[in-house]
Amino acid sequence: MAIGDGIVRWEPTPYGVVIITQTCDLVQASRPTFHVAPIIVLDDKKAKPARNGRQPNLVHVPELGPASFADLTVVSTLDKTVLKDASAQPGVLEVAHVRKFGQRVGRRFSRFAFPDDVVHWIRPLRKLVEDKDGKLDSPAGWALEHVASLRLECEEEWRATPYALTLCVIMKPGVVPLFEPDELPQMPPSVQTWLYDDSGIVKVSATQIAERLKSENNTLDSITRYWLWGGLVDAWAAMCRAPKDATPSVLDAVQDGRIRGDLCTSDDFSYERFRNSEELDLDHLSPTLPLYAG
């Protein structure tokens, strides 16, 4: 791998490499090069969240086993002549896996660059995901396993601060009861009193709500389950706050000083909202500006 001034660094690939160039480009004689990424093998604890797409630099290679990944932090360009003597085996076969592999490779290079000031607001949620992702014995980990995607929606498409932001939590199919938009049942008074204060702000922690959902999941009626998941989404959104001693630009970056939450399902999250929102790759949100004043 060339790193400038004629210097080449060799990257060890004990498990081989994955070709990430599309086949249609690979077979064209007019294109003399192709791209590869090294294969790495993770332990079980790290492999599961990586398979779920939590780390955009790691893309699962299913035909090599549950712990094998293409590491996109190191992508190299090779001449096609090396293919003549190379042995190969399929890394992705099923159509669904091929589609997912392509999407996740593409995501690595097309991730939205959130404004630095906004990144600081999302750090508490990032920490939650890092600490609890895949830990099914914890209420938070159990709840996160039911989430298909976390997306951040900006009302004015990031034109100017303060940004009006909504955390869209898209649940996996079958988790949240479905109701017609004009037939959404009212929240039971007992649930509303437990979840929210008089001004409609969630007053219990995300951990408390997740604990109740996990422990009572099999006995909850559909209406209560729906509103408890909604409360959990509001609690996750409420976690997204900048430290009080952050710089003024950080503190003023979000409209009304809060990010709103929106419980969604893959059935009701429209393509238009998908286009106007950005996926939160929480493990790759690293601020580049000083967080604290002075």
Side-chain angles (χ1 to χ4, degrees), residues 16-245:
V17 297
V18 176
I19 296 175
I20 58 175
T21 297
Q22 290 190 342
T23 304
C24 57
D25 293 325
L26 195 64
V27 299
Q28 290 193 31
S30 61
R31 299 181 181 178
T33 61
F34 66 104
H35 298 94
V36 298
I39 297 170
I40 64 171
V41 177
L42 302 179
D43 59 41
D44 291 340
K45 183 179 179 181
K46 295 179 179 179
K48 184 169 184 177
R51 285 196 302 272
N52 289 338
R54 302 298 191 199
Q55 294 180 261
N57 63 304
L58 300 179
V59 182
H60 185 217
V61 187
E63 296 303 315
L64 301 186
S68 295
F69 296 84
D71 184 1
L72 300 182
T73 57
V74 183
V75 175
S76 296
T77 303
L78 302 180
D79 192 281
K80 285 183 182 177
T81 56
V82 305
L83 291 173
K84 291 187 298 183
D85 301 319
S87 59
Q89 70 177 94
V92 189
L93 286 177
E94 295 182 22
V95 173
H97 292 164
V98 171
R99 182 179 292 113
K100 181 181 291 186
F101 185 89
Q103 289 171 342
R104 290 188 172 170
V105 170
R107 185 182 70 167
R108 176 69 173 91
F109 301 100
S110 62
R111 288 178 294 125
F112 179 72
F114 289 101
D116 291 316
D117 289 340
V118 171
V119 169
H120 297 299
W121 286 75
I122 308 168
R123 291 183 75 187
L125 184 61
R126 173 192 177 187
K127 188 175 188 310
L128 172 75
V129 173
E130 287 179 341
D131 290 346
K132 303 300 182 183
D133 196 16
K135 298 179 180 178
L136 295 182
D137 55 331
S138 74
W142 175 88
L144 286 167
E145 279 294 308
H146 292 77
V147 175
S149 180
L150 297 168
R151 303 185 69 84
L152 199 61
E153 186 176 55
C154 184
E155 204 170 276
E156 296 296 329
E157 297 187 357
W158 309 99
R159 292 192 183 95
T161 57
Y163 304 113
L165 300 179
T166 300
L167 174 66
C168 304
V169 180
I170 305 173
M171 309 304 298
K172 293 179 179 178
V175 175
V176 178
L178 297 178
F179 302 100
E180 294 297 328
D182 56 349
E183 296 179 4
L184 189 64
Q186 288 190 335
M187 190 185 314
S190 59
V191 176
Q192 183 166 0
T193 301
W194 186 73
L195 284 174
Y196 300 99
D197 61 22
D198 293 338
S199 59
I201 304 297
V202 65
K203 65 181 182 180
V204 290
S205 70
T207 299
Q208 289 174 292
I209 303 171
E211 284 176 345
R212 181 170 175 182
L213 275 166
K214 185 174 185 290
S215 63
E216 302 178 20
N217 187 56
N218 295 327
T219 60
L220 292 172
D221 62 83
S222 59
I223 296 175
T224 299
R225 185 185 301 113
Y226 176 88
W227 287 111
L228 285 177
W229 277 111
L232 181 58
V233 170
D234 287 341
W236 280 339
M239 291 176 59
C240 299
R241 299 190 67 85
K244 294 179 180 179
D245 53 354

